[in-house]
Amino acid sequence: LLKHLKIQCKQNIYYLIKMRTELAFLDTTYESYRSIMRTVIAFELLLIFSLFWYKMNMETFYHSKFDNVIPIYFWIGLITITFLISSIIAIQIPKNAKTSLIYGMLIGLVIYGCINAVLLMTNFKWTVKTAIIDIIYGIISTSIVAFIVYKVFF
């Protein structure tokens, strides 16, 4: 069993190293329209996921960390981050479902990792535990959204 897991792990690492992706060039009206629609769908899904996540966890998990944040800044930040992530998801043309999931996971890791690194440096109430949980949420949510966008458009 251990030998099988080792082989599987090596194959997955090899797949990640060898994985290539294609970006959408908006050179035609049709491609531009499809990219805008992918962005809109990804934006709506991410916003729904984020609102659900924060609603479920705000009182118990995030409230004490955001007590000094002006509500309009929270919304501006949430919408900006959601738009950036959905735009990144929309320009990628995955070869298959596995590629879309991995690409979504990488987006979540990078974006949420940067956000949480900044919060760890600037918000003294933000803990490493909070950052890790938030990064895991970001990885899961962006991979699900990237997968759904793949299934809808490709």
Side-chain angles (χ1 to χ4, degrees), residues 53-123:
W53 173 257
Y54 291 124
K55 180 71 174 162
M56 294 295 292
N57 297 299
M58 184 58 82
E59 292 300 320
T60 58
F61 190 65
Y62 291 106
H63 184 66
S64 63
K65 284 117 175 113
F66 285 128
D67 58 355
N68 60 348
V69 175
I70 300 169
I72 189 71
Y73 292 150
F74 174 81
W75 286 104
I76 290 171
L78 180 64
I79 289 171
T80 303
I81 291 165
T82 303
F83 179 73
L84 289 172
I85 294 171
S86 60
S87 298
I88 294 168
I89 289 172
I91 65 165
Q92 192 247 359
I93 301 173
K95 296 188 182 320
N96 54 40
K98 186 176 182 180
T99 306
S100 70
L101 279 169
I102 293 170
Y103 185 74
M105 292 171 84
L106 291 173
I107 292 169
L109 177 65
V110 170
I111 298 292
Y112 281 86
C114 290
I115 292 166
N116 281 282
V118 169
L119 285 169
L120 278 170
M121 291 185 292
T122 59
N123 186 347

Side-chain angles (χ1 to χ4, degrees), residues 33-52:
Y33 172 77
R34 284 181 55 87
S35 181
I36 290 169
M37 292 310 298
R38 289 192 299 266
T39 303
V40 168
I41 288 174
F43 181 84
E44 291 171 348
L45 288 170
L46 282 168
L47 198 58
I48 290 168
F49 287 170
S50 295
L51 291 175
F52 179 73

